[in-house]
């Protein structure tokens, strides 16, 4: 049957290199691959070849997919972080999340090879201070949003390159605290390569019984979520929203509740969670597009198409800034997508999960008759709105004045070059620095006293330098929750160069007064109720240093290492009630005990330079 299919599709060239007597084993593995390729593409190989021929014909003819379309600014809102309006939309979003109202999709099909890291990208440390991996960070934030409510489900799209390692990482860490069944893994398969404009499937030149294949793009996530039944199961369980995340963007969950609030307020079916965009920046722009024939759609336009489109339609100067804001009027599309689950599931039932595709062949010459190397069809998850009817509500949300986008995708050498040009580097160094900067933004918006950010160079890469703050999301997954843990934020201050680490289960931790000039690490087990009443820390702290050679990949891709010189540690490894109080003059206090024994203990602690912890079981 598969041989007949190949003959029907004009693929008989695949048999040319077989010889007169192919072995049964060779034939078997060839047809097994054909069967797998046929099963993993919506509509099978026939649809793939048909789509390929059409797209390749358009490419050869130079068809412009944006011809006839005129852009305008789409529906959406920009809300400044930490303002009363932000508080309002964040609260509305959290109300929707509570009770299991949101599902999460992590696109994790990539290795870190381009970075110089041989493992899966979600296993990269998001920062060196605690070494928390991206996958653990995402899961801990989801669990913090979940609280004591119904489980918030997570789906992870892997690939053949990342599937086994992702499963092993989850298994080795007991899903980082998620329950059995809370995590679903869907695996993306590759598609066949096309050898020419006739969409002839490309055989491996080293093995005539094997086809060349390449990734189809992260747009496959929609088909996989649909075909696996994941979305139907989520809908039945009461999930109302679905949030899509990239593999190495640490602050991606920081703005989610507010984005849901904006979606609810604007009744959006699709909300592209965007960032402010500078003209010429290498980030796509979200645009409302109207065709000359009356069709309309709201979709991402790739950054290298924006200038030409604007010049041909509404702005002769091209991709320029809005004088009122100094930024592009079109928000930057960063592949953080928020969908209303009901309409999303219904649409995929209609389409089977197929996405708009494109092809990008590298031609050997101007005749466009031969390729330099085989190509393939691709699809992108942000192109989902292109499949929607005009009645769909598609828009954007931008949470300004905060760090919400800091992916890690550039190797160190390229990051140095970008930094020298003043461009965003999106490197391991900038990603780490932005983890700290993002945490500082939360503290500053809560009223904590912090030094202003400064610019620093780390091994040739420019970064924003702030106190190195790492706080587990259980302290507060929203700005409102963090503020509740800081009743007197003006009494909390961090000096430049300081390191603050709050780890573990921070659901019952309050921070009332802290003066930090150095490094402080606080670790808390579940069941420990900790109040930092008054704490003063001054020591040599931690600092970044140069590499000497032979360091592991996670350091080599950054270009620096972390040196821990002096640290104050407070470890709460048993359940109970604790108060940390250095006393009015930096001396330990024991408020609940005025016995001679208590005074003696306090004096002994003072002489030893120790903080005294009060504990009651």
């Amino acid at each position: 049957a598969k041989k007949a299919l190949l003959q029907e599709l004009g693929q008989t060239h695949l048999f040319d290199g077989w010889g007169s007597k192919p072995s049964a084993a060779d034939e078997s593995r060839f047809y097994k691959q054909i069967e797998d390729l046929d099963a993993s593409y919506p509509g099978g190989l026939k649809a793939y070849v048909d789509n390929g021929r059409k797209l390749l014909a358009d490419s050869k003819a130079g068809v412009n997919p944006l011809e006839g379309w005129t852009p305008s600014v789409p529906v959406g809102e920009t809300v400044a972080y930490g303002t009363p309006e932000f508080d309002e939309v964040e609260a509305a979003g959290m109300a929707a999340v509570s009770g299991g109202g949101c599902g999460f999709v992590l696109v994790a099909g990539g290795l870190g090879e381009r970075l110089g890291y041989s493992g899966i990208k979600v296993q990269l440390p998001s920062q060196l201070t605690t070494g928390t991996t991206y996958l653990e960070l995402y899961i801990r934030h989801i669990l913090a949003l979940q609280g004591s409510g119904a489980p918030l489900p997570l789906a992870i799209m892997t690939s053949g390159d990342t599937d086994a390692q992702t499963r092993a990482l989850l298994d080795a860490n007991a899903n980082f605290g998620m329950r059995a069944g809370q995590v679903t893994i869907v695996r993306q398969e590759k598609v066949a390569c096309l050898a020419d404009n006739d969409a002839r499937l490309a055989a491996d030149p080293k093995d005539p019984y094997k086809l060349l294949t390449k990734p189809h793009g992260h747009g496959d996530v929609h088909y996989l979520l649909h075909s696996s039944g994941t979305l139907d199961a989520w809908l039945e369980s009461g999930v109302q929203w679905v949030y899509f995340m990239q593999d190495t963007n640490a602050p991606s969950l920081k703005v989610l509740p507010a984005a849901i609030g904006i979606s609810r307020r604007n009744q959006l079916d699709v909300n592209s969670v965007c960032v402010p965009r500078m003209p010429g920046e290498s980030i796509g722009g979200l645009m409302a597009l109207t065709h000359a024939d009356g069709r309309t759609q709201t979709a991402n336009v790739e950054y290298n198409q924006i200038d030409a489109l604007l010049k041909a339609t509404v702005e002769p100067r091209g991709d320029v800034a809005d004088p009122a804001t100094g930024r592009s009027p079109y928000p930057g599309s960063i592949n953080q997508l928020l969908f209303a689950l009901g309409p999303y599931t219904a649409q995929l039932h209609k389409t089977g999960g197929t996405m708009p595709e494109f092809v990008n062949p590298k031609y050997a010459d101007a005749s466009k008759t031969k390729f330099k190397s085989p190509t393939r069809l691709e699809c992108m998850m942000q192109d989902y709105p292109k499949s929607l009817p005009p009645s769909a509500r598609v828009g954007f949300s931008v949470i300004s004045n905060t760090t919400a986008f800091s992916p890690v995708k550039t190797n160190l050498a390229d990051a140095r070059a970008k930094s020298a040009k003043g461009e965003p580097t999106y490197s391991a160094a900038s990603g780490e620095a932005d983890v700290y900067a993002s945490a500082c933004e939360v503290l500053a918006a809560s009223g904590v006293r912090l030094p202003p950010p400064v610019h620093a160079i780390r091994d040739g890469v420019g970064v924003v330098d702030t106190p190195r703050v790492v706080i587990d999301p259980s302290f507060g997954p929203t700005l409102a929750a963090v503020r509740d843990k800081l009743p007197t934020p003006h009494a909390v201050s961090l000096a430049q160069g300081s390191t603050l680490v709050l780890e573990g289960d921070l659901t019952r931790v309050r921070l009332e007064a802290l003066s930090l000039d150095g490094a402080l690490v606080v670790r808390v087990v579940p069941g420990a109720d900790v109040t930092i009443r008054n704490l003063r820390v001054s020591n040599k702290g931690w600092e970044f240093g140069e590499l000497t050679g032979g360091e592991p990949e996670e350091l080599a891709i950054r270009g620096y290492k972390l040196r821990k010189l002096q640290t104050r540690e407070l470890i709460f490894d048993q359940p109970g009630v604790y108060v940390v109080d250095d006393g009015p003059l930096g001396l330990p206090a024991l408020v609940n005990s005025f016995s001679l024994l208590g005074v003696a203990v306090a004096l002994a602690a003072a002489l030893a330079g120790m903080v005294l912890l009060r504990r009651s079981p």
Side-chain angles (χ1 to χ4, degrees):
K2 295 306 177 188
K3 184 174 183 179
L5 173 64
L6 293 176
Q7 291 171 334
E8 176 190 345
L9 298 178
Q11 305 293 333
T12 55
H13 66 283
L14 293 173
F15 307 117
D16 292 346
W18 280 24
S20 58
K21 293 183 178 180
S23 71
D26 284 337
E27 282 197 69
S28 177
R29 63 186 177 89
F30 172 81
Y31 285 117
K32 177 64 169 62
Q33 186 183 23
I34 295 296
E35 183 179 345
D36 291 343
L37 290 169
D38 190 48
S40 62
Y41 185 84
L45 273 176
K46 184 179 188 309
Y48 184 74
V49 171
D50 288 346
N51 292 341
R53 286 171 178 158
K54 180 182 184 307
L55 289 170
L56 287 166
D58 288 347
S59 177
K60 183 180 180 181
V63 173
N64 179 3
L66 293 174
E67 184 71 33
W69 293 96
T70 299
S72 60
V73 178
V75 173
E77 290 190 58
T78 297
V79 176
Y81 187 75
T83 61
E85 185 180 17
F86 175 85
D87 297 342
E88 179 183 340
V89 293
E90 183 183 65
M94 273 306 294
V97 170
S98 62
C102 188
F104 299 82
V105 179
L106 176 61
V107 177
L111 295 171
E113 292 173 332
R114 285 194 302 173
L115 296 169
Y117 181 72
S118 57
I120 54 176
K121 291 175 72 176
V122 293
Q123 197 169 7
L124 271 170
S126 57
Q127 34 70 26
L128 299 181
T129 297
T130 64
T132 303
T133 66
Y134 280 97
L135 184 55
E136 180 180 5
L137 176 64
Y138 293 145
I139 288 179
R140 290 200 63 80
H141 204 129
I142 293 169
L143 291 174
L145 289 166
Q146 173 183 305
S148 59
L152 300 178
L154 169 65
I156 303 175
M157 185 179 79
T158 63
S159 66
D161 294 329
T162 67
D163 188 77
Q165 292 183 66
T166 302
R167 292 177 187 273
L169 181 61
L170 288 166
D171 290 344
N173 293 277
N175 287 345
F176 295 106
M178 281 194 163
R179 305 178 191 178
Q182 193 171 351
V183 181
T184 299
I185 295 180
V186 292
R187 174 173 159 163
Q188 177 189 27
E189 302 298 338
K190 295 179 180 180
V191 294
C193 290
L194 305 174
D196 53 31
N197 286 325
D198 291 327
R200 297 202 307 166
L201 304 181
D204 187 332
K206 297 179 181 179
D207 183 352
Y209 301 98
K210 180 182 178 182
L211 299 187
L212 293 178
T213 59
K214 291 184 179 180
H216 189 220
H218 47 51
D220 277 351
V221 68
H222 304 296
Y223 170 70
L224 293 170
L225 291 173
H226 166 69
S227 61
S228 65
T230 300
L231 297 180
D232 287 329
W234 285 5
L235 191 63
E236 186 176 348
S237 70
V239 174
Q240 300 173 347
W241 302 95
V242 182
Y243 189 52
F244 292 80
M245 306 178 294
Q246 295 291 325
D247 48 15
T248 55
N249 183 25
S252 60
L253 288 163
K254 177 181 179 182
V255 299
L256 170 62
I260 293 177
I262 291 173
S263 280
R264 296 179 71 187
R265 187 155 72 181
N266 292 273
Q267 298 180 317
L268 296 179
D269 299 323
V270 174
N271 180 349
S272 184
V273 182
C274 295
V275 294
R277 180 182 176 276
M278 296 300 295
E281 189 173 359
S282 300
I283 297 176
L286 194 73
M287 295 181 168
L289 299 169
T290 302
H291 198 271
D293 62 12
R295 288 177 292 152
T296 60
Q297 65 176 4
T298 297
N300 172 69
V301 176
E302 291 300 307
Y303 72 90
N304 55 2
Q305 299 175 314
I306 292 175
D307 188 70
L309 175 63
L310 292 172
K311 285 179 177 177
T313 53
V314 297
E315 177 51 79
R317 297 172 300 167
D319 188 11
V320 296
D322 180 346
T325 64
R327 298 184 180 274
S328 168
Y330 304 98
S333 177
I334 57 173
N335 291 347
Q336 288 178 200
L337 304 170
L338 176 66
F339 295 169
L341 179 57
Y344 176 46
T345 303
Q347 178 66 12
L348 293 190
H349 275 289
K350 292 178 183 177
T351 65
T354 58
M355 286 296 107
E357 293 173 303
F358 64 96
V359 67
N360 187 27
K362 302 297 188 290
Y363 295 107
D365 54 43
S367 68
K368 296 185 178 181
T369 56
K370 294 183 179 181
F371 303 160
K372 291 182 179 178
S373 61
T375 188
R376 87 284 199 184
L377 304 189
E378 300 178 69
C379 61
M380 300 185 293
M381 70 178 186
Q382 66 267 33
D383 283 345
Y384 165 73
K386 294 179 180 179
S387 69
L388 295 175
S391 59
R393 294 278 295 175
V394 181
F396 73 89
S397 59
V398 170
I399 308 302
S400 62
N401 301 336
T402 194
T403 303
F405 181 60
S406 186
V408 175
K409 57 184 181 181
T410 309
N411 65 51
L412 183 55
D414 290 344
R416 290 177 183 136
K418 287 177 177 288
S419 184
K421 297 176 184 177
E423 300 175 357
T425 63
Y426 302 135
S427 61
S430 64
E432 172 161 9
D434 286 343
V435 169
Y436 308 135
S438 179
C440 285
E441 290 166 358
V442 177
L443 294 180
S446 302
V448 170
R449 292 183 292 138
L450 295 165
V454 297
H455 185 262
I457 301 293
R458 294 195 183 127
D459 200 15
V461 178
V463 299
V464 60
D465 193 26
T466 65
R468 291 181 280 280
V469 177
V470 180
I471 301 177
D472 188 85
S474 60
F475 189 72
T478 64
L479 178 57
V482 171
R483 285 171 171 166
D484 287 344
K485 298 291 188 72
L486 296 163
T488 52
H490 58 278
V492 179
S493 65
L494 280 65
Q496 186 67 36
S498 293
T499 298
L500 173 63
V501 176
L502 304 181
E503 287 187 297
D505 185 346
L506 309 179
T507 54
R508 296 163 64 182
V509 173
R510 283 165 57 91
L511 181 55
E512 296 181 358
L514 168 66
S515 175
L516 175 60
D517 185 1
L520 171 65
V521 175
V522 180
R523 294 191 179 94
V524 184
V525 298
D529 187 311
V530 179
T531 299
I532 298 179
R533 179 70 45 77
N534 182 26
L535 182 59
R536 295 175 178 84
V537 176
S538 179
N539 56 42
K540 293 181 180 180
W542 301 356
E543 65 182 18
F544 291 122
E546 295 181 0
L547 300 182
T548 56
E551 284 85 2
E553 291 176 339
E554 57 266 25
L555 298 182
I557 64 173
R558 289 170 160 81
Y560 56 83
K561 60 185 176 183
L562 184 62
R563 292 199 293 252
K564 300 180 180 181
L565 305 179
Q566 285 186 324
T567 311
R568 179 82 170 271
E569 287 190 295
L570 301 178
I571 311 299
F572 303 91
D573 55 5
Q574 296 293 326
V577 178
Y578 302 85
V579 176
V580 180
D581 195 335
D582 270 354
L585 297 175
L587 298 176
L590 189 61
V591 177
N592 286 346
S593 175
F594 294 97
S595 66
L596 291 177
L597 176 60
V599 172
V601 171
L603 287 174
L607 292 173
M610 298 166 54
V611 69
L612 192 63
L613 308 180
R614 296 202 316 275
R615 175 189 174 195
S616 60

